[in-house]
Amino acid sequence: NAGVTQTPKFQVLKTGQSMTLQCAQDMNHEYMSWYRQDPGMGLRLIHYSVGAGITDQGEVPNGYNVSRSTTEDFPLRLLSAAPSQTSVYFCASSYSSGGKETQYFGPGTRLLVL
Amino acid sequence: GENVEQHPSTLSVQEGDSAVIKCTYSDSASNYFPWYKQELGKGPQLIIDIRSNVGEKKDQRIAVTLNKTAKHFSLHITETQPEDSAVYFCAASSDYKLSFGAGTTVTVRA
């Protein structure tokens, strides 16, 4: 199993540009989520999904969109990048039942918005 | 929503000594408390977790304690080694939405 994979590893954007951060998992996990990590603030939940076709907002959803058309993939879209979105983004996945909510994180995408 | 506070923000220990990190949470509905270790340039990795029906859990040199009444939980690392140097995060969850503490940078001095 590859676990949780994320692409790209690093990206530089100009203000106003759009892009999609990719996330995929091969563990057949129902639950997937996106976090951003900023210095001194831990990880904050952006959006999450409890299954294909179902998404919901987390703590800091503004400026981001998500969709979940398959169990495996959970892309994060920035429609109009802003410097405040400079951060490291982590995708995570887990089972959603039976007390197996341990979340497995991907390696992260480092995003710089100029 | 849930608010998790973590202390200290940095911790330097001599190799072989113990390290203790403490967290408090605000939502009494939280029932799952994982601890993650993050090495430079990598994603967080689960090292131990505890559920609300358990007061203490141990895995080799790592132990976690939970006091639900006081809403605090702690990570204990004994006999620290250089490879324990990393950033450690606590988290609390009641419905798979993890709320993280701000992290503790642990440095183990040789």
Side-chain angles (χ1 to χ4, degrees), chain B residues 5-23:
Chain B
E5 295 191 355
Q6 182 173 347
H7 300 280
S9 57
T10 61
L11 181 60
S12 179
V13 297
Q14 192 70 36
E15 183 176 357
D17 287 350
S18 295
V20 179
I21 303 170
K22 298 183 178 182
C23 291

Side-chain angles (χ1 to χ4, degrees), chain B residues 18-108:
Chain B
S18 295
V20 179
I21 303 170
K22 298 183 178 182
C23 291
T24 60
Y25 63 98
S26 61
D27 189 350
S28 57
S30 290
N31 56 11
Y32 175 64
F33 306 91
W35 286 87
Y36 287 86
K37 176 183 182 182
Q38 187 177 29
E39 296 176 338
L40 198 61
K42 297 184 178 180
Q45 199 166 24
L46 181 76
I47 55 171
I48 195 168
D49 57 13
I50 191 167
R51 299 178 194 283
S52 59
N53 57 348
V54 175
E56 184 173 355
K57 184 177 179 181
K58 190 174 182 180
D59 183 4
Q60 299 183 331
R61 296 186 296 108
I62 294 173
V64 59
T65 59
L66 171 65
N67 184 328
K68 282 220 75 177
T69 303
K71 296 201 190 78
H72 64 73
F73 55 114
S74 302
L75 177 72
H76 303 251
I77 307 173
T78 58
E79 300 173 15
T80 53
Q81 300 168 5
E83 54 264 37
D84 294 329
S85 294
V87 180
Y88 292 81
F89 292 97
C90 63
S93 168
S94 62
D95 56 0
Y96 306 101
K97 292 184 288 184
L98 288 174
S99 294
F100 283 84
T104 297
T105 300
V106 174
T107 302
V108 180

